[in-house]
Amino acid sequence: MNDAQGYLNPQRTVAELKELRALTGDEDGAQRVAFTETWSKAREWMARKMAALPVESHKDAAGNSWFTLKGASEKSLLIGGHIDSVPNGGWLDGCLNVMAGVEVMRRICAEYDGLPPVTVRVVDWADEEGARFGKSLFGSAAFSGNLDLDEARVLKDKDGISLPDAVAAHGIDFEKVKDAGVEVADAAAYLELHIEQGPVLLDMGLPLGAVLGTFGVERHAITFRGQAAHSGSTPMNRRKDAFLAAARMAPEIYEITGRNGGVCTIGSCITKPGIVTSVVADCRITLDQRHLNADSLATMLAEAKSASGRYAKDAGVTVEWERLWQIEPVLFNTELIDFCDAAILETCGVSHRLPSGPLHDAAEVARAGIPTVMMFVQSLHGISHNKIEDTLEEHLELSVRALDRLASKTMKWISNQLPHL
Ligand SMILES: [Zn+2]
């Protein structure tokens, strides 16, 4: 441990996460759904923690909560996360990120006596999860300029309350949320610690990993169309069976990922007429394909299209594709990935680089052109968005230490880019 890390108290982060769990959770898990009272209570609790430090705090036009320690330079290191959770969520998803940021902020305040060489900011993004309106990354997408206002304006929750009304109840003018873009000024780097939410680090027996970027996604509906026919009177060789073609696609997605890497999922299958006595006339499946490399993702899509055409022909049916959603892969900054790797190696002697399957606020920050990296800490059971979500406390403490080292390396990197007078 170096001297600076003597100011750091990772056990305090674990204790504070338990405090937050007691304050905003119940027997079903975390209940900090964005734009609710419990969410506000969690944010006020976090603001009280920050009030002990010499930091300026404000909410931007999208409701993102900023805590700024002014440095000798305006150029800023950003450390972010989200205190909002899904309903019945886990105790770590999102809040570990911000509470580790609070602890790193405490260390920097103490080490530099309130005036670090560069400005340091902790941000709690508003509504990362999108649990209430089905739209993830609200605050960070407003910040990056990628939020589609027309799409968000008409969203309603299950009680019929519109997103603009819900945010208004929290002091946010929906039509002005993109003014949050002013916060991009002077941002020189962004760091985000997160639980992995998957089993990769667990299976490798590693506490921490450096994240290369977030997967690009291609999401399509594929509809095979054949002909309904009596299940008793139609000989097997006379059928136009839409289900047969769709079913043959299922093993194909394993071949495609075997050749290209990435992941593919057929998540839904609807047959019509959908009765026991008819050959399937229409079969609609959904295909979700993800890869970190844009070219590989394009290849995966092309291979799936060509396979669907082949199986349609074999079954005597037709096939149509409809794109449901798509996003490019977001690659993190290579220098920051190196720093992240080094910080992990210094902290626990072994590191691993891995992509992120889920999207995170960090992807939006990177899309805003700010050099970005994420660090993952192992998830027990490889499970998240569930009250059983958990991470060993010793791993949580290591993650705070490693994030702190990464923050130091990144501050130095930002300083070195400053013009020397
Ligand atoms: Zn999260």
Side-chain angles (χ1 to χ4, degrees):
M1 189 188 299
N2 62 23
D3 288 339
Q5 287 213 315
Y7 295 115
L8 194 76
N9 184 352
Q11 294 94 330
R12 174 163 50 191
T13 306
V14 175
E16 286 178 335
L17 288 166
K18 290 178 180 172
E19 201 182 310
L20 181 64
R21 175 169 62 182
L23 186 72
T24 59
D26 58 24
E27 65 277 11
D28 296 319
Q31 305 299 346
R32 296 181 302 277
V33 175
F35 309 121
T36 63
E37 267 179 43
T38 308
W39 176 66
S40 291
K41 189 157 86 171
R43 296 188 119 195
E44 283 158 19
W45 171 86
M46 181 184 164
R48 283 200 295 279
K49 301 280 175 195
M50 280 294 204
L53 299 174
V55 299
E56 177 272 340
S57 73
H58 72 272
K59 294 204 173 63
D60 69 21
N64 300 309
S65 188
W66 294 88
F67 301 91
T68 303
L69 173 66
K70 276 217 171 304
S73 164
E74 308 254 284
K75 290 288 169 204
S76 312
L77 167 67
L78 274 46
I79 303 172
H82 60 95
I83 215 159
D84 75 294
S85 74
V86 294
N88 306 329
W91 72 297
L92 300 170
D93 181 1
C95 53
L96 167 65
N97 333 6
V98 281
M99 294 319 295
V102 171
E103 190 56 33
V104 172
M105 185 70 108
R106 288 182 181 125
R107 188 275 293 175
I108 293 169
C109 284
E111 183 184 350
Y112 294 100
D113 206 12
L115 187 69
V118 302
T119 297
V120 181
R121 312 184 72 192
V122 170
V123 54
D124 167 28
W125 301 109
D127 199 6
E128 190 270 353
E129 299 287 4
R132 184 166 161 198
F133 295 98
K135 172 104 188 109
S136 304
L137 313 180
F138 174 81
S140 53
F143 166 87
S144 71
N146 290 318
L147 183 71
D148 184 335
L149 289 183
D150 292 336
E151 187 189 280
R153 191 179 290 115
V154 297
L155 295 174
K156 291 200 161 77
D157 71 7
K158 64 176 174 12
D159 299 320
I161 298 169
S162 74
L163 188 148
D165 286 347
V167 301
H170 290 264
I172 299 163
D173 178 347
F174 175 79
E175 297 304 329
K176 294 196 174 138
V177 292
K178 283 195 169 181
D179 291 355
V182 298
E183 307 290 344
V184 173
D186 295 318
Y190 176 78
L191 311 176
E192 184 172 331
L193 169 67
H194 207 286
I195 52 166
E196 186 203 326
Q197 304 178 281
V200 174
L201 293 172
L202 178 72
D203 288 349
M204 297 179 80
L206 299 176
L208 301 171
V211 184
L212 295 162
T214 56
F215 279 161
V217 182
E218 284 284 358
R219 201 170 285 168
H220 290 81
I222 310 167
T223 307
F224 295 94
R225 292 189 204 284
Q227 192 170 52
H230 194 284
S231 65
S233 64
T234 318
M236 300 310 280
N237 64 352
R238 295 289 304 273
R239 296 176 178 218
K240 295 176 178 169
D241 186 342
F243 179 74
L244 178 65
R248 284 176 172 162
M249 276 297 287
E252 184 68 25
I253 66 168
Y254 290 81
E255 301 287 327
I256 289 172
T257 50
R259 284 191 294 272
N260 299 288
V263 289
C264 289
T265 305
I266 295 176
S268 160
C269 176
I270 299 168
T271 58
K272 285 182 186 163
I275 54 172
V276 72
T277 51
S278 175
V279 174
V280 171
D282 290 356
C283 186
R284 181 186 189 269
I285 57 173
T286 58
L287 178 62
D288 176 289
Q289 299 183 293
R290 302 179 187 224
H291 206 290
L292 189 62
N293 180 290
D295 291 340
S296 301
L297 184 60
T299 304
M300 286 166 70
L301 176 60
E303 289 184 3
K305 283 191 172 169
S306 117
S308 71
R310 211 164 54 239
Y311 297 130
K313 195 163 170 253
D314 288 354
V317 304
T318 62
V319 62
E320 278 165 35
W321 281 65
E322 179 199 351
R323 179 177 266 155
L324 302 175
W325 190 67
Q326 179 252 5
I327 189 167
E328 297 289 310
V330 175
L331 299 175
F332 292 149
N333 180 278
T334 51
E335 283 176 274
L336 292 184
I337 294 168
D338 286 344
F339 294 156
C340 186
D341 220 15
I344 293 170
L345 279 171
E346 289 166 21
T347 305
C348 51
V350 53
S351 183
H352 177 66
R353 297 177 179 218
L354 72 167
S356 171
L359 280 169
H360 291 286
D361 292 309
E364 283 299 339
V365 180
R367 291 172 87 197
I370 299 164
T372 293
V373 73
M374 291 185 77
M375 181 186 290
F376 276 168
V377 59
Q378 186 194 104
S379 291
L380 289 172
H381 330 295
I383 288 280
S384 180
H385 286 191
N386 185 312
K387 71 172 177 178
I388 69 162
E389 166 191 294
D390 204 5
T391 293
L392 291 177
E393 288 186 17
E394 62 188 88
H395 288 175
L396 292 175
E397 290 175 17
L398 285 173
S399 76
V400 179
R401 279 193 199 292
L403 178 71
D404 186 61
R405 285 181 181 276
L406 173 59
S408 290
K409 290 175 194 299
T410 309
M411 284 169 75
K412 204 176 285 171
W413 183 68
I414 297 169
S415 291
N416 288 341
Q417 294 167 19
L418 296 173
H420 292 283
L421 301 175

